[in-house]
Amino acid sequence: MAQRIQFARTGGPEVIELVEATPAEPAAGEVRVRNQAVGLNFIDIYFRTGLYPAPGLPSGLGTEGAGVIEAVGEGVTHLAAGDRVAYAQGPLGAYAEQHVLPADKVVVLPEAIDVETAAAGMLKGLTVQYLLRQTAPLQGGETILWHAAAGGVGSIACQWAKALGVRLIGTVSSPEKAALAEKNGAWATIDYTKEDVVERVRELTHGEMCDVVYDSVGKDTWETSLDCLKPRSLMVSFGNASGAVEGVNIGILNQKGSLFVTRPSLNGYADTRERLEWMAGELFAMLQSGQVTVDISNRYPLAEAGKAQEALQGRQTTGSTILLP
């Protein structure tokens, strides 16, 4: 038997429960990982609340973790029992001592990277990789706006953007979060609780505005984000922390300067084992070089997953949060 987190109905943190379950044997093409650390991400809250529907209830939670392969299914050749591994995709259920998932979603972890860093940084780091290196292939010299720059994804983005020679303007909600974003390499910060984001962007860029805006907040920042862009530039909406963007008249993109908009996801980019391994290789290289570090500011036991989600949803956290089975 092994412990896992599950929810039988959607709702607040109170729907989360810790249960004992018998781990499944991996089928063909699958592996079973004994988790040593599990990543906490905003998308987990979307599933718990029902914004993203789970395949069925009761359901596990989480898609990110790191640990050791316990068993491999038929046909798996690139992984073996005993391998240190990490993953950020696959079926819900990573909030558990053991997790079975497709082998193609799992990568071998370099010895230089510890399991806590991997669990805290895989999904967030791969997200930053596709956003900065693929969705908008930044070459250096661009000016971008990044909402929630002191969060887990934002903290990595600040560092990676600086390494690329990109000027990242980060929005934050406090002086402490501004200091953290700037420490991580943000070119400038804007406290959206006190400053007009659009006007401050205009001042910082001398009226040029931004080449790309990266928005994980959603409904509350949609129009602000569009107003921070240069004509013919790109709006990247990759999250819904304040709720989904709905009811948009596509004509607004014309009115605000023939803008482009995209709504990408990790699954849309890391859609083959080869692409996943390439993306993870870039992330691991950034971690091993020291150009990107993962700040783990919060650690919770697996049993306190609800408390951890509550802190994340309440924007009480900076950096990354992990669960420890």
Side-chain angles (χ1 to χ4, degrees), residues 164-175:
L164 290 171
V166 171
R167 293 182 295 272
L168 184 148
I169 303 170
T171 70
V172 295
S173 60
S174 70

Side-chain angles (χ1 to χ4, degrees), residues 26-32 71-77:
E30 294 182 334
V31 296
R32 187 173 71 234
V72 301
E74 183 182 352
V76 176
T77 58

